Amino acid sequence: MEKARPLWANPLQFVFACISYAVGLGNVWRFPYLCQMYGGGSFLVPYIIMLIVEGMPLLYLELAVGQRMRQGSIGAFRTISPYLSGVGVASVMVSFFLSMYYNVINAWAFWYLFHSFQDPLPWSVCPLNGNRTGYNEECEKASSTQYFWYRKTLNISPSIQENGSVQWEPALCLLLAWLVVYLCILRGTESTGKVVYFTASLPYCVLIIYLVRGLTLHGATNGLMYMFTPKMEQLTNPKAWINAATQIFFSLGLGFGSLIAFASYNEPSSNCQKHAIIVSLINSSTSIFASIVTFSIYGFKATFNYENCLRKVSLLLTNTFDLEDGFLTASNLEEVKGYLASAYPSKYSEVFPHIKNCSLESELDTAVQGTGLAFIVYTEAIKNMEVSQLWSVLYFFMLLMLGIGSMLGNTAAILTPLTDSKIISSHLPKEAISGLVCLISCAIGMVFTTEAGNYWFDIFNDYAATLSLLLIVLVETIAVCYVYGLRRFESDLKAMTGRALSWYWKVMWAGVSPLLIVSLFVFYLSDYILAGTLKYQAWEASQGQLVTKDYPAYALAAIGLLVASSTMCIPLVALGIFVLRCLKRGDAAPVA
């Protein structure tokens, strides 16, 4: 059976597959946000510590399990104990949830990529209103980039209760995204192995180009100084440590079963310890590298907005008080405002509501993550660059490569256990199984292309994987160390690779990492409980901004079902196997 199992063409292909999977959108749009929120350069301290005590050990554990058991997540944990089959089922369930909504991001990236060839970029200016006498009211109240995202891309409804119809443009883009994924996974490792060379390496080429461009932008140094200036008081903030641990955990893609699936196609003698260290270090380095690029563009955007604000205020004051052109500067603006307020109080009070408070610091403090960073903040910066179409094409091409690379790992986590199953693989060829998984995921994913689709996207993004993954990885660690046995697993690894397991890995697996996962689990559980009624951000077109609303009862039920459907697999499958064994023993008992 081992000979019949497909293998990676070489170890480099496996490493590229892991990098392509682990280095994803979170490195570009989540890590910079955390740096911004938790002390800039000082956030690297908890981040690196969590990488050492949590990231590397758990990544090595998953790769070692896959390489030793030579099966997907379900088969691997069934080998450890039949009662643990539910761990693999839970992993497949979470990966299925993820694949349903994650590819929608690729659909949006395709949509923006296609629009990037227009001159001017469609999100650079507001459209005219129906009478063609002025600009669209919603766009004027928001911004051109927000309008293009919320109205043109999502055509978002005012609340989750108003589902609306499927938007055909995003729906076609989603079909295209799934077609691309299907072609990449069509022949298993044979096709995936070739694709990962591109999905893993091309984002770095784009990031390097963006770094060179970013550093030459006016105001880039303001963003970089903001990033690298450490705020040491944040080291005493527990949330900084919690978020560092969470970022490491989710960024490496632990618990989905993708790493176990990839490692199962390795040669048994492969040095998975070296691979785990390489992948985790490259993943973290990419996050820091992407942050340098992001903050140089942040600095440009913040400086552009700040100087634009200064120009508007200066023009307003110059025209109102007949000041000399060029008299007002950034250095004397506050002083002149104080003088005008005291010298001409009635005139100044009339114009005061129109005077904005211009602050570079507050512009830099505006923290955005996720789709808001990718499709609003970045596009706002791109539209102000020279040759903006080129930079837009490069940026959304990079997002696509990152997204498709992660999707290859997500689908591998689902397909490997299915193709390992003799019952399924004996009736259906690999291509048909892949096609069915893509078709079902695409069909359900159409929910996210409705007018309320973005609200459902946020539900899946926030709740489909968080608690479930923590529980899955906790049970995985306990299963290997205390059910299968750490000494037995150590001897297996030595027999496979010819290398003894160091004390560091054993201490992390048996004690430190599980305790850390329990701490994270308790934190998230208490955070959900203390938060009270769960809320979401809805787009209010009349105000041109997001407003906070309570989730309706059926959305709360959907959230509960999302969390329970994967986590409950672990105890339910164990209970089912126990009952079946009891029934078999009952049937086998001799009749008196």
Side-chain angles (χ1 to χ4, degrees):
M1 280 182 68
E2 284 200 3
K3 285 182 182 176
R5 189 170 187 80
L7 295 171
W8 298 106
N10 52 65
L12 187 64
Q13 209 173 67
F14 166 70
V15 172
F16 267 79
C18 290
I19 291 168
S20 177
Y21 166 66
V23 175
L25 297 166
N27 300 72
V28 175
W29 70 26
R30 172 82 178 149
F31 183 81
Y33 164 79
L34 293 175
C35 275
Q36 199 173 6
M37 287 292 289
Y38 298 107
S42 57
F43 181 71
L44 295 176
V45 175
Y47 182 76
I48 291 166
I49 290 171
M50 290 303 170
L51 173 68
I52 294 166
V53 301
E54 177 200 32
M56 280 186 193
L58 293 174
L59 178 61
Y60 180 27
L61 181 72
E62 290 210 347
L63 295 184
V65 166
Q67 191 169 306
R68 165 66 187 86
M69 304 305 173
R70 313 280 290 147
Q71 295 179 82
S73 53
I74 296 174
F77 288 99
R78 186 169 56 231
T79 305
I80 292 173
S81 169
Y83 292 107
L84 291 169
S85 302
V87 179
V89 175
S91 288
V92 171
M93 188 76 79
V94 172
S95 293
F96 180 62
F97 289 152
L98 184 73
S99 69
M100 280 194 301
Y101 80 86
Y102 197 92
N103 219 18
V104 178
I105 301 170
N106 292 332
W108 293 331
F110 268 124
W111 167 257
Y112 270 81
L113 180 64
F114 296 150
H115 283 81
S116 297
F117 294 96
Q118 295 182 28
D119 184 21
L121 291 171
W123 55 82
S124 62
V125 288
C126 284
L128 295 173
N129 58 25
N131 302 326
R132 306 186 73 80
T133 54
Y135 291 116
N136 178 281
E137 188 183 351
E138 183 184 354
C139 186
E140 278 200 306
K141 286 184 177 178
S143 67
S144 58
T145 49
Q146 284 179 312
Y147 178 80
F148 187 83
W149 170 242
Y150 288 112
R151 187 55 52 218
K152 292 294 184 182
T153 305
L154 304 176
N155 193 23
I156 198 164
S157 61
S159 71
I160 196 170
Q161 285 102 321
E162 299 171 50
N163 285 316
S165 58
V166 169
Q167 308 300 297
W168 70 268
E169 297 101 328
L172 285 176
C173 289
L174 183 60
L175 280 170
L176 177 61
W178 273 112
L179 180 63
V180 170
V181 170
Y182 177 65
L183 293 173
C184 292
I185 63 172
L186 186 59
R187 305 200 61 80
T189 53
E190 190 183 326
S191 55
T192 304
K194 293 181 177 70
V195 173
V196 293
Y197 287 125
F198 295 98
T199 56
S201 57
L202 285 178
Y204 290 99
C205 299
V206 177
L207 279 173
I208 290 166
I209 294 168
Y210 251 96
L211 178 67
V212 174
R213 180 67 186 115
L215 292 176
T216 59
L217 289 170
H218 173 58
T221 49
N222 292 328
L224 294 174
M225 282 172 65
Y226 185 89
M227 177 191 170
F228 286 109
T229 304
K231 297 171 184 170
M232 301 310 287
E233 67 274 8
Q234 284 291 342
L235 291 177
T236 58
N237 183 356
K239 281 200 169 184
W241 293 83
I242 291 286
N243 279 287
T246 307
Q247 175 62 14
I248 286 287
F249 188 93
F250 293 114
S251 177
L252 289 170
L254 301 167
F256 288 102
S258 304
L259 297 164
I260 293 173
F262 281 156
S264 72
Y265 301 116
N266 256 349
E267 287 282 1
S269 58
S270 292
N271 187 352
C272 52
Q273 176 182 306
K274 182 176 77 175
H275 294 156
I277 295 168
I278 289 170
V279 171
S280 53
L281 287 177
I282 287 175
N283 180 63
S284 296
S285 302
T286 306
S287 293
I288 297 166
F289 180 47
S291 292
I292 294 171
V293 176
T294 299
F295 274 93
S296 67
I297 291 167
Y298 258 153
F300 164 68
K301 175 186 161 289
T303 306
F304 183 90
N305 289 347
Y306 169 64
E307 290 178 353
N308 198 33
C309 176
L310 285 177
R311 274 194 297 273
K312 285 180 179 177
V313 172
S314 299
L315 185 65
L316 179 66
L317 294 175
T318 300
N319 291 341
T320 306
F321 295 96
D322 295 324
L323 301 175
E324 187 182 337
D325 285 346
F327 171 70
L328 285 172
T329 62
S331 56
N332 70 6
L333 180 63
E334 292 304 315
E335 186 184 340
V336 173
K337 277 164 67 178
Y339 167 75
L340 293 173
S342 59
Y344 309 98
S346 57
K347 203 173 182 182
Y348 189 83
S349 61
E350 287 175 24
V351 81
F352 180 74
H354 305 288
I355 298 174
K356 289 183 179 178
N357 186 23
C358 304
S359 167
L360 180 61
E361 191 68 24
S362 64
E363 286 286 347
L364 288 166
D365 279 337
T366 307
V368 184
Q369 63 169 325
T371 51
L373 173 61
F375 298 107
I376 297 173
V377 174
Y378 254 96
T379 53
E380 194 175 320
I382 288 167
K383 76 175 186 181
N384 296 318
M385 293 181 188
E386 292 176 14
V387 202
S388 54
Q389 287 78 14
L390 171 65
W391 299 110
S392 186
V393 168
L394 280 173
Y395 174 66
F396 289 110
F397 177 71
M398 178 188 73
L399 281 194
L400 264 178
M401 289 298 102
L402 291 170
I404 289 168
S406 296
M407 278 303 298
L408 299 182
N410 297 338
T411 48
I414 303 165
L415 292 171
T416 303
L418 296 178
T419 51
D420 284 348
S421 168
K422 290 179 184 177
I423 300 167
I424 297 171
S425 56
S426 62
H427 289 88
L428 290 169
K430 187 185 294 180
E431 293 83 357
I433 298 169
S434 302
L436 278 171
V437 168
C438 291
L439 191 63
I440 294 165
S441 299
C442 183
I444 300 171
M446 286 296 164
V447 171
F448 305 113
T449 64
T450 62
E451 289 174 28
N454 193 56
Y455 303 130
W456 288 104
F457 174 88
D458 287 338
I459 285 176
F460 272 73
N461 192 36
D462 292 340
Y463 303 106
T466 315
L467 288 172
S468 312
L469 285 182
L470 291 169
L471 185 63
I472 288 165
V473 178
L474 178 63
V475 177
E476 277 181 10
T477 314
I478 292 167
V480 172
C481 294
Y482 300 104
V483 178
Y484 191 79
L486 188 53
R487 286 183 182 177
R488 183 182 169 192
F489 192 62
E490 182 186 1
S491 63
D492 286 352
L493 286 179
K494 191 172 183 180
M496 270 199 317
T497 63
R499 296 171 186 83
L501 196 66
S502 76
W503 63 269
Y504 162 72
W505 302 112
K506 288 187 275 189
V507 169
M508 293 300 127
W509 289 350
V512 177
S513 295
L515 286 173
L516 197 56
I517 296 167
V518 169
S519 303
L520 286 175
F521 190 83
V522 169
F523 169 78
Y524 275 104
L525 206 58
S526 60
D527 198 43
Y528 288 143
I529 293 165
L530 293 172
T533 307
L534 299 177
K535 299 178 186 295
Y536 70 102
Q537 296 283 300
W539 180 252
E540 186 58 61
S542 59
Q543 298 175 33
Q545 63 180 25
L546 293 167
V547 293
T548 304
K549 294 185 177 181
D550 290 337
Y551 276 119
Y554 66 86
L556 294 173
I559 291 168
L561 193 63
L562 265 180
V563 176
S565 57
S566 51
T567 52
M568 291 308 290
C569 289
I570 300 171
L572 288 176
V573 171
L575 182 64
I577 290 169
F578 176 74
V579 170
L580 284 172
R581 287 191 167 185
C582 288
L583 291 172
K584 280 182 182 177
R585 277 201 293 269
D587 291 342
V591 180

